[in-house]
Amino acid sequence: MESCRRRGLSGVLCSLSLLCVILDIQLDGVLGATHVEIEHHLEMGRKLLAAGQLAEALSHYHSAVEGDSKNYLTYYKRAAVFLAMGKSKSALPDLTKSIQLKPDFLAARLQRGNILLKQGNTQEAREDFEAVLQRSPDHEEAQDQLMRANELEELQEEANAAYHQGDYSATISLHERIIEISPWDPESRELRAECYIRMGDPQKAIQDLTPTTRLRNDNRAAFLKLSMLHYSLGDHHESLNHIRECLKLDQDDKECFSHYKQVKKLSKQLDAAEELIQQDRYQEAIDKYESVMKTEPNVPYYTNLARERICFCLVKINLAQEAIDMCSEAHQRDPRNANILRDRAEAYILNQEYEKAVEDYLEAREFDSEGERIDLKEGLERAQKLLKISRKRDYYKILGVSRNANKQEIIKAYRKLAQQWHPDNFQSEAEKKEAEKKFIDIASAKEVLTDPEMRQKFDAGEDPLDPENQQGGGGGGQGWPYHFNPFESGGSFHFKFHHN
């Protein structure tokens, strides 16, 4: 206060002056502490970056930047961490800030130019490389990168011209080098993806479009296109995943929401149909697959799949002719589908058309290049056995019943034929002998098909009454089930029918 009076200051002014002095002293202390802390953060950031602990390193560099926003090196080091984390977009602002604080900082100029070149920004990249060369004319990396920037610009112009001329193959070829130079440029990948789509190669289009969802912010267009491509290929689950990503960015996007509803509905139907098949509810599965064809009649994959699975279900419920018709339609649309051929072969077996069954199994195995499918191998063997047996005796054909006939239907057919071919119904010896043969076959068929174990053997391609299949050659060797032939007496024999 004494000093204030000597300087002629009033009491209030003197108090303010003293307060400023105290604040200056305290501020100096704070700044000194902050400088130490900044150095600590920078040192920790360096160590953690060297150890590969990028997230922890980034946290320390954030603190260093907040503590000293005028230090160009701090921004540069944080940019290095962003680049190590694959976040080039985040690194750019830090490099730019570093250059603003120190325009002659060539390392930051070169690094920014490299990022801009990889992003396909040739003009801005060239400016950075030229700036480096103005201060350091012999800088080899800057010279090389400037040449790459010029090459990229020429390639981009050439590729765009080829695309507008409809030369998609040339455009794709040029983009091999373009994307090699600028792998972070979404436009190059999007243009090449469009060429692949126009050339009928959606899988490669997907490969190009997938990275663009990360290279562009809010890339709903890419998510929608990816969803539609997966949908067209029949991958409805992946299609649903991508369209949901679009709606995460904007739930009110009309195009994405419209496509989402379609994919969700179809996907639900397909999953439900397969679940019904797993539960052996085949008729319900057929109904569900018919709904699938109504929901999506325009994408061949789904209509083909629906026909394939309906064919399978019809076989399972023993509707032979319906299965053959559906399988044949499905085969016409998808001729290299081994599953359809397998199922039609099974339908032919149900319909006792064994030669056709063998042909379908043989064709199905042609599409099993590795020869690993056991169902095709076993199915072919069974069809061949049944064909061999049918050329001897086919008990179903003898009785005139279908392969899925029940016991009651078999006995009914037997009674009718046994009465029809009873030898007493015929006069001449020749007719009687023919009737005897028929009668033996009818009785054999009835015995095999009404005995579950014997019928199972016959359905598997083995004739249980064939002497070749009998252990020890039991029986009369003529296929007569009762181990004697009543016609051998030569007399007039009157039959009594005993029905099971």
Side-chain angles (χ1 to χ4, degrees):
M1 291 295 290
E2 184 63 31
S3 63
C4 287
R5 281 195 288 271
R6 282 200 300 269
R7 286 184 290 164
L9 297 174
S10 66
V12 174
L13 289 173
C14 186
S15 298
L16 286 172
S17 178
L18 288 171
L19 181 60
C20 288
V21 171
I22 293 168
L23 285 171
D24 284 342
I25 294 169
Q26 290 178 342
L27 189 60
D28 285 341
V30 170
L31 287 173
T34 303
H35 179 71
V36 171
E37 289 173 2
I38 290 169
E39 288 300 321
H40 169 73
H41 286 306
L42 289 172
E43 179 60 18
M44 287 301 297
R46 185 188 66 77
K47 288 181 178 178
L48 291 165
L49 178 60
Q53 296 175 258
L54 303 180
E56 294 83 351
L58 185 61
S59 177
H60 282 285
Y61 282 122
H62 282 325
S63 298
V65 168
E66 289 170 6
D68 185 2
S69 61
K70 302 297 183 183
N71 188 332
Y72 72 95
L73 272 176
T74 307
Y75 286 102
Y76 181 75
K77 290 176 180 177
R78 188 169 71 173
V81 180
F82 278 130
L83 286 173
M85 297 175 76
K87 298 181 178 181
S88 58
K89 287 183 183 177
S90 299
L92 271 180
D94 275 358
L95 291 170
T96 299
K97 184 67 176 178
S98 182
I99 293 165
Q100 289 171 349
L101 292 170
K102 188 173 175 55
D104 62 346
F105 188 21
L106 299 188
R109 282 272 187 189
L110 185 63
Q111 192 66 271
R112 187 174 71 173
N114 289 339
I115 293 173
L116 291 168
L117 181 61
K118 287 183 177 180
Q119 291 180 339
N121 298 321
T122 53
Q123 185 175 346
E124 294 177 41
R126 187 188 294 109
E127 290 173 2
D128 274 340
F129 298 139
E130 287 173 347
V132 172
L133 290 170
Q134 282 178 359
R135 294 181 177 272
S136 179
D138 297 327
H139 198 294
E140 288 187 11
E141 185 179 351
Q143 289 174 349
D144 291 341
Q145 291 297 80
L146 181 60
M147 289 175 63
R148 286 163 68 90
N150 292 331
E151 180 190 358
L152 178 61
E153 196 166 55
E154 291 174 6
L155 287 167
Q156 287 172 335
E157 290 176 2
E158 194 175 345
N160 286 331
Y163 176 77
H164 290 300
Q165 291 168 6
D167 191 347
Y168 305 122
S169 180
T171 308
I172 289 170
S173 180
L174 288 164
H175 272 87
E176 291 297 323
R177 176 59 177 161
I178 290 172
I179 292 173
E180 184 182 330
I181 298 172
S182 56
W184 301 340
D185 178 17
E187 286 186 15
S188 298
R189 293 182 182 274
E190 288 164 352
L191 184 60
R192 189 168 69 173
E194 186 62 31
C195 291
Y196 281 130
I197 291 170
R198 290 174 184 263
M199 292 184 71
D201 195 343
Q203 289 286 9
K204 287 186 177 177
I206 288 171
Q207 291 174 10
D208 265 341
L209 280 174
T210 300
T212 69
T213 60
R214 300 185 298 273
L215 295 172
R216 281 193 194 279
N217 294 324
D218 190 10
N219 200 348
R220 281 173 283 158
F223 280 120
L224 176 60
K225 188 167 282 189
L226 280 167
S227 177
M228 295 176 80
L229 286 169
H230 280 292
Y231 183 82
S232 70
L233 291 170
D235 193 350
H236 54 98
H237 289 132
E238 196 62 30
S239 175
L240 198 56
N241 290 338
H242 280 94
I243 205 64
R244 280 173 173 155
E245 290 299 320
C246 177
L247 291 173
K248 283 180 186 177
L249 294 170
D250 182 0
Q251 62 182 4
D252 297 321
D253 188 296
K254 291 182 179 179
E255 283 188 277
C256 287
F257 186 68
S258 175
H259 186 58
Y260 167 74
K261 288 194 296 183
Q262 173 71 6
V263 181
K264 185 180 179 182
K265 180 180 179 181
L266 184 72
S267 187
K268 188 176 179 181
Q269 289 175 333
L270 289 166
D271 290 344
E274 284 305 304
E275 189 174 337
L276 288 167
I277 288 176
Q278 294 300 317
Q279 297 169 0
D280 298 338
R281 295 158 64 183
Y282 299 113
Q283 185 56 57
E284 292 173 73
I286 289 170
D287 296 339
K288 190 64 70 175
Y289 271 116
E290 286 174 348
S291 298
V292 165
M293 288 193 282
K294 291 176 184 176
T295 299
E296 184 47 87
N298 300 318
V299 177
Y301 176 88
Y302 299 109
T303 52
N304 291 349
L305 174 65
R307 288 184 176 88
E308 174 192 334
R309 299 306 275 161
I310 290 171
C311 155
F312 172 82
C313 292
L314 288 169
V315 172
K316 288 294 184 182
I317 57 178
N318 297 317
L319 294 176
Q321 192 55 54
E322 291 91 333
I324 290 169
D325 293 341
M326 179 57 73
C327 293
S328 296
E329 186 179 350
H331 175 61
Q332 191 173 11
R333 293 169 178 268
D334 191 4
R336 299 181 65 83
N337 190 320
N339 291 335
I340 295 171
L341 287 163
R342 175 204 63 198
D343 295 336
R344 189 171 69 173
E346 289 300 312
Y348 279 134
I349 288 173
L350 285 174
N351 220 35
Q352 301 174 44
E353 298 180 71
Y354 306 118
E355 286 188 17
K356 291 181 178 179
V358 170
E359 288 172 5
D360 272 358
Y361 266 121
L362 285 170
E363 188 177 350
R365 293 202 70 190
E366 287 179 13
F367 304 129
D368 179 27
S369 57
E370 302 296 324
E372 294 177 350
R373 288 191 55 170
I374 296 173
D375 61 331
L376 300 182
K377 180 176 180 291
E378 292 179 347
L380 175 60
E381 290 173 356
R382 187 164 57 88
Q384 288 171 332
K385 279 184 181 180
L386 288 168
L387 176 59
K388 183 180 178 182
I389 289 171
S390 72
R391 287 171 175 166
K392 296 180 179 179
R393 288 186 300 186
D394 185 333
Y395 296 126
Y396 290 104
K397 282 188 177 179
I398 288 169
L399 294 183
V401 296
S402 67
R403 294 189 71 85
N404 60 319
N406 59 37
K407 186 174 182 178
Q408 186 178 358
E409 291 170 334
I410 290 165
I411 292 173
K412 182 179 178 181
Y414 162 70
R415 286 175 180 169
K416 182 179 177 181
L417 290 169
Q419 289 171 353
Q420 178 185 343
W421 290 99
H422 192 294
D424 288 349
N425 295 335
F426 301 89
Q427 300 301 319
S428 72
E429 284 301 315
E431 288 178 335
K432 280 184 179 290
K433 284 191 176 293
E434 178 66 21
E436 287 173 8
K437 184 179 181 302
K438 287 273 188 184
F439 195 87
I440 290 173
D441 285 344
I442 292 164
S444 297
K446 179 254 187 184
E447 184 193 20
V448 170
L449 299 183
T450 55
D451 182 293
E453 186 178 345
M454 294 175 78
R455 184 175 180 177
Q456 185 177 8
K457 285 184 179 180
F458 183 74
D459 286 344
E462 176 186 339
D463 186 348
L465 300 182
D466 190 331
E468 294 178 6
N469 297 324
Q470 300 295 320
Q471 293 296 324
Q478 299 178 29
W480 175 248
Y482 305 111
H483 310 296
F484 72 97
N485 188 338
F487 302 115
E488 286 179 354
S489 63
S492 177
F493 191 89
H494 298 278
F495 292 92
K496 292 181 180 180
F497 296 103
H498 299 282
H499 304 303
N500 294 332

